[in-house]
Amino acid sequence: MANTIAPVGSTLGILGGGQLGRMMALAAREMGIHTVIWDPAAESPAAEAADAAIRAPYDDPGAMEQFLSRVDRITYEFENVDYDTARTLSRSKPVHPSPDLLYVSQHRLREKDRARRAGLETTPYAAVSTWEDLELAMREVGLPAILKTVRGGYDGKGQAMVTNRDEAVTGFRELQHASHGDTLIYESRADFTAEVSVVVARDEMGQTVTYPVTENHHRHGILDYSVVPARVPAEVARRAQQGGVQLAEDLGLVGLMALELFVMADGRVLFNEIAPRPHNSGHWTLDGAWPTQFAQHVRAVMGWRVAEPRLLSATAMVNLLGDLFLDGLESLPHLMDLEGVQLHWYGKREMRSGRKVGHVNVLADDAAEALQGAREVKRRLGGRWDDGA
Ligand SMILES: Nc1ncnc2c1ncn2[C@@H]1O[C@H](COP(=O)(O)OP(=O)(O)OP(=O)(O)O)[C@@H](O)[C@H]1O
Ligand SMILES: [Mg+2]
């Protein structure tokens, strides 16, 4: 597809109707770009913010025709969108990030292989399809480890901790069953001192930019809170950003993606995975940076230039899960007298345990103060605060 600049007033088609699609649609609207959401689900937080929505399975030929006739450019808001659909769409309209990049990101072995090729370091890993492979992996990659399905995992799902041979056997059996005999990845468990991520954007002209490195804290496998600037040495942050640029260039990224990384005690930065789209750990940019990750993504996907991000404020981002609101939403307005607090609500109707329903950004003078604010947000909502660091 030839490089063209989509004019203001063009339409961006978005595959997926979750909160990321919603925030993309809101950013697009501010810049005069219309959006059409395509999602099979009845409930679509993105549809509420978009100009139009198509509700149909991704393999519905009529829906595809309708979608294509209404959009000028196409993107997706989650990486488990069907690769064949993305490839078919790309024959008619530009799809960014490219279906090839989507293909890499859908498979943990492919993305780690690719990251290594691009010069990034990873934790040792091996592909495991048979009992013999498992034996070999235990010997060569070692223990402790994590077994993961190569496809479809998110929020820590499709993973088994392996600290001994029994757990390896059980994990292998369960995950192979869950993934219908698909290959698994056996990864050495990194004894990291911090988890960080870097959001990188690249335009069709080849300019690549990175956001300040974000420090991430997970709880039960789900991102709990993030803080910027990450409390890591400047050299570590520089290495993380450099890794982002290398991988974006190697993959020919157009659009925006995030790299999840482990920081080791000796300062090494190990690549974990990519998300070829705006990322939960980049939600702080909605208030703490210019342009936001969503605006940046839309710019790149429409064929516009990306902008060198500016850090506007130290920011902590607290994820709001449905667990906090099983009895209603009354607690939310009580956050508003806290300093520097901005609520982002996704408009999901059902408050389910473990479901991301919104987030709060806390702006402050530095990371420590922002974290104090984040802790207070959690307290007022009745949530638990884990000092991961
Ligand atoms: N090799 C590893 N060593 C140590 N910890 C790991 C390793 N792999 C994963 N983890 C931990 O488990 C978390 C989730 O793993 P990963 O990011 O691979 O899966 P995911 O299901 O895609 O998660 P998410 O959707 O939250 O990004 C990581 O953020 C990290 O805390
Ligand atoms: Mg992850």
Side-chain angles (χ1 to χ4, degrees), residues 28-186:
R29 177 166 289 164
E30 287 193 330
M31 294 186 283
I33 302 295
H34 304 293
T35 49
V36 176
I37 305 296
W38 181 4
D39 192 297
E43 199 200 65
S44 164
E48 212 177 79
D51 295 277
I54 295 169
R55 184 183 157 196
Y58 293 124
D59 57 1
D60 180 331
M64 179 171 289
E65 206 176 308
Q66 200 195 347
F67 185 69
L68 279 173
S69 73
R70 293 168 80 169
V71 305
D72 301 296
R73 298 222 161 197
I74 298 167
T75 191
Y76 40 88
E77 59 113 48
F78 73 130
E79 58 274 29
N80 293 321
V81 39
D82 182 47
Y83 166 70
D84 289 325
T85 304
R87 208 184 41 180
T88 307
L89 289 168
S90 72
R91 293 198 192 105
S92 305
K93 297 280 164 71
V95 175
H96 294 307
S98 72
D100 287 349
L101 198 158
L102 175 69
Y103 182 75
V104 172
S105 72
Q106 283 179 336
H107 197 284
R108 290 187 193 279
L109 283 162
R110 274 184 223 136
E111 63 186 358
K112 282 209 167 66
D113 289 350
R114 195 63 185 251
R116 282 198 171 179
R117 196 184 93 177
L120 283 73
E121 200 177 340
T122 67
T123 192
Y125 63 90
V128 174
S129 310
T130 63
W131 291 107
E132 290 73 46
D133 293 342
L134 186 66
E135 288 294 338
L136 197 65
M138 270 192 285
R139 265 203 312 278
E140 303 216 321
V141 176
L143 291 164
I146 306 188
L147 265 172
K148 301 180 185 175
T149 56
V150 291
R151 285 173 233 269
Y154 69 98
D155 289 345
K157 295 185 171 61
Q159 303 194 4
M161 291 293 160
V162 177
T163 33
N164 54 46
R165 154 174 279 283
D166 283 354
E167 286 177 0
V169 168
T170 315
F172 179 67
R173 197 175 282 135
E174 284 177 6
L175 292 179
Q176 263 231 323
H177 180 74
S179 61
H180 310 288
D182 201 2
T183 302
L184 305 175
I185 183 169
Y186 182 102

Side-chain angles (χ1 to χ4, degrees), residues 251-367:
L251 290 167
L253 170 72
V254 173
L256 178 140
M257 71 178 189
L259 285 76
E260 298 179 8
L261 305 159
F262 302 138
V263 180
M264 307 302 282
D266 59 7
R268 280 180 307 141
V269 175
L270 305 183
F271 169 89
N272 178 33
E273 61 170 351
I274 48 171
R277 51 168 172 77
H279 191 253
N280 195 168
S281 71
H283 288 359
W284 67 271
T285 63
L286 282 169
D287 301 294
W290 173 88
T292 71
Q293 63 166 346
F294 300 100
Q296 189 83 278
H297 182 68
V298 171
R299 288 166 71 130
V301 168
M302 299 315 283
W304 304 2
R305 280 208 178 272
V306 294
E308 187 63 45
R310 287 170 182 248
L311 176 64
L312 303 179
S313 173
T315 310
M317 189 281 314
V318 182
N319 260 343
L320 304 180
L321 301 186
D323 313 55
L324 297 172
F325 309 102
L326 297 174
D327 297 328
L329 308 181
E330 284 71 21
S331 54
L332 285 169
H334 298 294
L335 300 178
M336 296 305 142
D337 58 340
L338 293 174
E339 181 111 354
V341 159
Q342 177 66 47
L343 172 67
H344 297 270
W345 193 251
Y346 307 151
K348 297 184 181 177
R349 267 167 246 139
E350 218 186 309
M351 295 297 113
R352 279 201 304 267
S353 180
R355 187 177 207 206
K356 294 171 181 170
V357 296
H359 69 269
V360 169
N361 283 337
V362 185
L363 307 191
D365 288 339
D366 56 37

Side-chain angles (χ1 to χ4, degrees), residues 154-157 159 218-224 356:
Y154 69 98
D155 289 345
K157 295 185 171 61
Q159 303 194 4
H218 294 81
R219 186 172 153 73
H220 303 315
I222 303 176
L223 183 64
D224 188 18
K356 294 171 181 170

